[in-house]
């Protein structure tokens, strides 16, 4: 009898499961799907509505919440397409304070499960510790460590606001950032989790730079972040970023390099198929030095040399030398800016030294940035052209 009762109770509980539904379900019209977040510095004493306000903290910030609008809500009654996003602006002394203020601006509760990018303006990056910027996002259970971080040259707000744009700018930005595989002028993506580890370890690094106008967005160059201060200290131009990519030797990186053929003085274009970089530290007594050996294989894609016969070994040798000169020049420019001017190690020379010469590393690691700025670095480049296209010469 007891077994029968237990069976009936268990059966009844099982029958209740299908009709219970999702207890934590939220309707899509009640949720603000945040695809992007921007950080700007507000005008002094001005609130998000443009009114005068009181500033309590030393570093007030303005946050932009880039929220997607579902397709069924982004069209008007006449069927005319409207923007499928809105940007909500808030100002406060803390990140969480900004988020709480959203409840006074919208009925939709912000959801960060689909957050794609965090864009930080140059003003914020130069003056506020990154730990304070990403602290809330790293603690939030909804956000992922794979969120991409970028630095805006100008206002972060401009990145998320486009005139006449129907497609979501945050989605376009994500796709654009992934093109670093095809361009040396872009630094690799910086994920929030990796950024947090660098900041915790006081390791200097670079972040993609985004330039934005009212109609167009461009990702090129990089922002340099000093590990000890967790703040931005300057920019790398496109050629300097290309040089940095060669020094690091990202295996997935591709793209093209231009060179000048020595005999004719004309331009040639080389497409990279593979690249490697080896950093070799050397310690003699108290003197430290490094050699960077860069090797690449690729294809001759274009030349303006007449006749430019790629089947001529002498021409191929001159073409390879021209590309080697261009790569070395870009790498040395990157070192001049990062090592000599900014006095930071964003390539990882210190890590290589710690592996091969741990005793020496213990002596210099405390003041590594200062020591590193005086260390000689030699760059060696070896290029091999393996393909010339369907025709090796311009002659029929």
């Amino acid at each position: 009898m007891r077994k029968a009762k237990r069976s009936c109770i268990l059966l009844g509980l099982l029958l209740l499961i299908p009709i219970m539904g999702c207890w934590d379900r939220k309707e899509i019209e009640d949720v603000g799907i945040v695809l992007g977040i921007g950080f700007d510095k507000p005008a002094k004493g001005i609130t998000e509505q443009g009114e005068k306000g009181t500033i309590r903290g030393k570093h007030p910030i303005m946050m932009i919440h880039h929220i997607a609008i579902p397709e069924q809500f982004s069209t008007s009654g006449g069927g005319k397409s409207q923007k499928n996003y809105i940007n909500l602006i808030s100002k406060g002394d803390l990140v969480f304070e900004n988020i709480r203020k959203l409840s006074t601006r919208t009925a939709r509760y912000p959801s960060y499960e689909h957050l794609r990018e965090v864009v930080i303006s140059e003003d914020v990056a130069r003056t506020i510790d990154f730990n304070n910027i990403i602290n809330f996002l790293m603690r939030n259970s909804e956000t992922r460590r794979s969120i991409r971080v970028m630095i805006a040259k100008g206002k972060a707000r401009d990145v998320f606001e486009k005139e006449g744009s129907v497609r979501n700018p945050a989605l376009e930005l994500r796709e654009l950032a992934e093109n670093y595989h095809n361009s040396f002028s872009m630094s690799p993506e910086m994920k929030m989790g990796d950024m947090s580890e660098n900041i915790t370890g006081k390791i200097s690094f670079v972040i993609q730079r985004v330039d934005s106008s009212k109609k167009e967005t461009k990702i090129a160059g990089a922002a340099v972040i000093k590990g000890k201060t967790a703040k931005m200290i300057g920019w790398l131009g496109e050629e300097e970023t290309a040089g940095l990519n060669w020094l690091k030797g990202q295996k997935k990186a591709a793209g093209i390099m231009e060179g000048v053929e020595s005999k004719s003085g004309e331009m040639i274009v080389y497409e990279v198929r593979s690249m490697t970089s080896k950093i070799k530290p050397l310690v003699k007594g108290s003197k430290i030095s490094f050699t960077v050996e860069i090797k690449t294989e690729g294809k001759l894609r274009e030349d303006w040399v007449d006749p430019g016969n790629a089947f001529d070994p002498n021409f191929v040798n001159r073409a390879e030398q021209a590309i080697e000169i261009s790569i070395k020049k870009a790498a040395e420019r990157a070192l001049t800016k990062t090592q000599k001017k900014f006095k930071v190690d964003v390539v990882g020379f210190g890590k290589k030294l710690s592996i091969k010469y741990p005793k020496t590393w213990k002596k210099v690691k405390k003041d590594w940035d200062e020591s590193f700025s005086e260390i000689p670095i030699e760059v060696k480049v070896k290029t091999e052209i393996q393909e010339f296209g369907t025709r090796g010469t311009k002659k029929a």
Side-chain angles (χ1 to χ4, degrees):
M1 189 67 177
R2 290 181 179 178
K3 289 184 178 180
K5 284 184 178 181
R6 290 177 181 174
S7 299
C8 290
I9 292 171
L10 181 60
L11 180 61
L13 292 173
L14 291 173
L15 291 173
L16 286 173
I17 292 175
I19 63 174
M20 287 175 66
C22 297
W23 65 270
D24 61 345
R25 176 182 174 182
K26 293 181 180 179
E27 298 297 333
I28 191 170
E29 61 267 24
D30 297 329
V31 177
I33 302 174
V34 181
L35 295 183
I37 290 178
F39 290 93
D40 280 327
K41 292 197 77 173
K44 190 174 181 180
I46 301 299
T47 66
E48 59 266 24
Q49 289 82 16
E51 302 170 351
K52 291 185 177 180
T54 302
I55 299 178
R56 300 188 310 274
K58 294 180 180 179
H59 302 291
I61 54 175
M62 180 178 286
M63 283 186 69
I64 299 92
H65 274 73
H66 185 73
I67 298 177
I69 300 176
E71 186 176 354
Q72 62 267 36
F73 302 117
S74 62
T75 56
S76 61
K80 184 180 179 181
S81 296
Q82 303 292 325
K83 289 183 177 180
N84 59 3
Y85 64 89
I86 58 172
N87 289 321
L88 295 180
I89 313 298
S90 60
K91 187 198 77 84
D93 299 303
L94 300 168
V95 174
F96 194 58
E97 180 185 355
N98 274 276
I99 294 171
R100 283 300 186 192
K101 283 186 176 182
L102 291 182
S103 61
T104 67
R105 312 287 303 284
T106 177
R108 296 187 179 194
Y109 184 80
S111 171
Y112 300 96
E113 293 181 359
H114 301 281
L115 182 60
R116 295 288 193 273
E117 291 94 19
V118 171
V119 180
I120 304 170
S121 73
E122 178 182 355
D123 286 344
V124 172
R126 286 184 181 273
T127 57
I128 301 179
D129 191 318
F130 276 91
N131 282 298
N132 298 327
I133 295 296
I134 68 172
N135 183 266
F136 167 79
L137 296 173
M138 290 298 296
R139 292 187 179 191
N140 191 348
S141 60
E142 289 184 353
T143 55
R144 298 185 176 96
R145 293 175 61 87
S146 59
I147 297 169
R148 271 61 175 179
V149 183
M150 303 175 192
I151 306 297
K153 188 174 176 60
K155 294 182 178 180
R157 181 177 182 176
D158 294 339
V159 177
F160 294 116
E161 188 67 50
K162 293 289 176 287
E163 287 185 357
S165 176
V166 175
R167 193 175 181 221
N168 194 289
L171 299 180
E172 289 186 345
L173 187 63
R174 175 64 177 268
E175 293 175 5
L176 185 61
E178 293 174 349
N179 284 339
Y180 77 89
H181 293 297
N182 303 315
S183 175
F184 280 108
S185 64
M186 297 171 61
S187 65
E189 296 174 297
M190 175 57 65
K191 298 178 181 179
M192 186 172 293
D194 297 331
M195 177 180 171
S196 178
E197 290 179 8
N198 287 334
I199 293 172
T200 302
K202 298 187 181 300
I203 300 170
S204 299
F205 58 99
V206 298
I207 303 180
Q208 288 181 337
R209 179 180 73 182
V210 54
D211 289 305
S212 188
S213 64
K214 293 182 179 180
K215 295 183 179 180
E216 185 182 39
T217 296
K218 176 184 178 181
I219 296 179
V224 180
I225 313 301
K226 187 176 180 66
K228 284 188 176 181
T229 63
K231 295 178 183 178
M232 175 183 166
I233 56 174
W235 295 112
L236 293 183
E238 293 185 32
E239 185 178 0
E240 293 160 345
T241 302
L244 186 64
N245 286 329
W246 280 108
L247 290 168
K248 288 185 172 183
Q250 273 88 5
K251 294 182 179 180
K252 293 184 178 180
I256 63 171
M257 288 295 292
E258 298 174 357
V260 179
E261 199 262 351
S262 59
K263 187 176 181 179
S264 65
E266 297 291 347
M267 298 293 296
I268 59 173
V269 179
Y270 170 80
E271 182 183 21
V272 179
R273 291 293 179 84
S274 66
M275 59 184 293
T276 59
S277 173
K278 290 184 179 180
I279 298 174
K280 296 182 177 181
L282 179 63
V283 176
K284 289 186 176 180
S286 60
K287 294 183 178 181
I288 303 171
S289 63
F290 291 96
T291 299
V292 183
E293 295 180 353
I294 299 171
K295 293 182 180 180
T296 175
E297 297 175 354
K299 183 176 182 179
L300 186 63
R301 294 294 295 178
E302 181 181 359
D303 73 79
W304 287 63
V305 181
D306 189 17
N309 188 355
F311 295 127
D312 180 2
N314 292 325
F315 171 76
V316 175
N317 288 336
R318 292 195 301 272
E320 290 175 340
Q321 290 172 7
I323 298 303
E324 289 170 1
I325 291 172
S326 293
I327 295 172
K328 185 175 181 179
K329 181 180 177 181
E332 289 177 342
R333 283 196 174 187
L335 285 172
T336 298
K337 180 67 78 70
T338 58
Q339 183 193 18
K340 301 300 182 181
K341 183 177 180 179
F342 297 148
K343 297 184 178 182
V344 292
D345 176 12
V346 294
V347 177
F349 289 98
K351 184 176 181 180
K352 296 294 183 180
L353 180 65
S354 67
I355 294 172
K356 190 169 183 179
Y357 299 99
K359 292 182 179 179
T360 302
W361 173 246
K362 286 182 180 180
K363 297 177 182 179
V364 299
K365 67 177 182 179
K366 184 177 180 181
D367 299 311
W368 173 240
D369 285 342
E370 196 64 36
S371 301
F372 173 68
S373 65
E374 302 297 329
I375 293 175
I377 300 174
E378 182 182 9
V379 179
K380 297 180 179 180
V381 183
K382 178 63 178 176
T383 300
E384 183 177 350
I385 295 176
Q386 295 182 323
E387 298 181 43
F388 319 106
T390 55
R391 291 173 60 185
T393 177
K394 296 176 186 176
K395 293 182 178 180

